[in-house]
Amino acid sequence: MSEERFGEFVLVRRHGDGHVAELALDRPKAMNAVSTEMARSIAAACTALGDDRDVRAVVLTSTHERAFCVGADLKERNSFTDADLMRQRPVARGAYTGVLELPVPTVASVHGFALGGGFELALSCDLIVADATAVVGLPEVSVGVLPGGGGTQLLPRRIGAARAAELIFTARRVEAAEARELGLVDVLVEEGRDREEALALASRIAANSPVGLRAAKRALRLGHGLDLRAGLEVEDAAWRSVAFSGDRAEGVAAFNEKRKPQWPGE
């Protein structure tokens, strides 16, 4: 396993053959509250991972034992002028869109508190694995703002408009069992096993064609919300981008030869 640090608060680990990358939030003294500096580092790490053609899946984790991420750094913001807040806005957005726009499948590994911007980082991933200690929520209206890291758009896409409205308007926290029942998380595991399970899931994903994975994610994201006819056109365009690839040729050959494929990644 290799490690690379982005700023003081973000650590990227590449596991095994490098096809699975772990983006670890590493600001334990602040329970991973996202400061301006940390937001820049998350965005920079996502840019590097998105450009790395060896990476087939990314797992978003936390080094803090009791929290995934408690959201924006409100202590930092308490000292901001209005001008400071406006200057920070594109930096903060860059962190959330950085995760959201990663071109490979992403899995969030959540334990403890995942609140506000912390839950929005998880929502920006394709799948969320949570352990029994997880507590999630979007409490922004309780401090006079709204979920601004994608929460008002990502949550209703995940659980429906009415349920999202109830959670956002009440600002309530949701514990692990209810979170799984509502669809706020996808996989619920025993305490302390979220990272292990998320990495295992990412490894299963990364065994597949990197060309196919990127195209499938693109079709899923671009087609969501479109009417069926338009969505099928998005799917067809994605299919055409992989149909004559080296990965497709290798996948068909490996299937017929009853062997594990050796993906060329092109």
Side-chain angles (χ1 to χ4, degrees):
M1 180 174 65
S2 65
E3 293 188 353
E4 180 181 4
R5 186 164 287 280
F6 288 79
E8 185 179 355
F9 303 129
V10 174
L11 181 65
V12 170
R13 303 183 179 109
R14 287 174 170 79
H15 293 266
D17 52 14
H19 297 325
V20 174
E22 178 183 2
L23 196 167
L25 307 176
D26 188 30
R27 196 188 178 200
K29 291 182 179 179
M31 299 181 82
N32 289 330
V34 181
S35 63
T36 305
E37 179 186 349
M38 187 173 178
R40 285 196 183 97
S41 297
I42 293 170
C46 288
T47 296
L49 291 171
D51 290 341
D52 187 343
R53 300 298 295 189
D54 286 335
V55 173
R56 300 180 189 174
V58 173
V59 180
L60 183 61
T61 67
S62 162
T63 63
H64 195 285
E65 292 182 356
R66 295 186 295 108
F68 174 72
C69 173
V70 295
D73 187 343
L74 296 185
K75 290 183 178 179
E76 178 189 55
R77 288 192 180 180
N78 193 46
S79 66
F80 278 6
T81 64
D82 289 350
D84 291 334
L85 188 60
M86 287 303 295
R87 279 192 293 269
Q88 191 210 35
R89 177 61 178 163
V91 178
R93 286 194 71 187
Y96 302 109
T97 57
V99 175
L100 185 64
E101 294 177 0
L102 279 165
V104 297
T106 50
V107 183
S109 163
V110 173
H111 58 265
F113 297 112
L115 301 172
F119 189 37
E120 288 174 306
L121 286 171
L123 289 172
S124 296
C125 294
D126 299 300
L127 297 165
I128 302 175
V129 176
D131 84 352
T133 71
V135 179
V136 305
L138 296 174
E140 285 87 346
V141 298
S142 70
V143 293
V145 289
L146 57 77
T152 66
Q153 304 305 305
L154 295 171
L155 191 59
R157 283 168 167 78
R158 174 175 272 273
I159 64 170
R163 281 184 170 173
E166 186 265 324
L167 292 174
I168 290 170
F169 295 161
T170 63
R172 73 181 179 93
R173 299 179 179 188
V174 182
E175 296 187 358
E178 185 186 2
R180 176 64 187 91
E181 181 182 342
L182 293 176
L184 298 170
V185 304
D186 303 299
V187 180
L188 184 59
V189 298
E190 295 175 359
E191 180 176 347
R193 293 196 59 195
D194 55 293
R195 179 174 177 268
E196 175 188 349
E197 292 292 334
L199 286 169
L201 176 56
S203 293
R204 292 196 295 274
I205 291 169
N208 296 305
S209 157
V211 170
L213 287 171
R214 287 180 178 240
K217 176 162 181 173
R218 190 165 64 249
L220 282 163
R221 286 289 176 89
L222 293 178
H224 189 90
L226 300 179
D227 66 66
L228 180 58
R229 186 181 297 274
L232 289 173
E233 291 302 317
V234 168
E235 182 182 82
D236 186 64
W239 179 87
R240 290 173 185 275
S241 73
V242 302
F244 309 104
S245 68
D247 273 15
R248 185 208 62 86
E250 169 60 11
V252 173
F255 176 84
N256 283 288
E257 295 166 16
K258 296 180 172 57
R259 60 174 175 81
K260 184 179 178 181
Q262 300 297 316
W263 304 114
E266 57 184 21

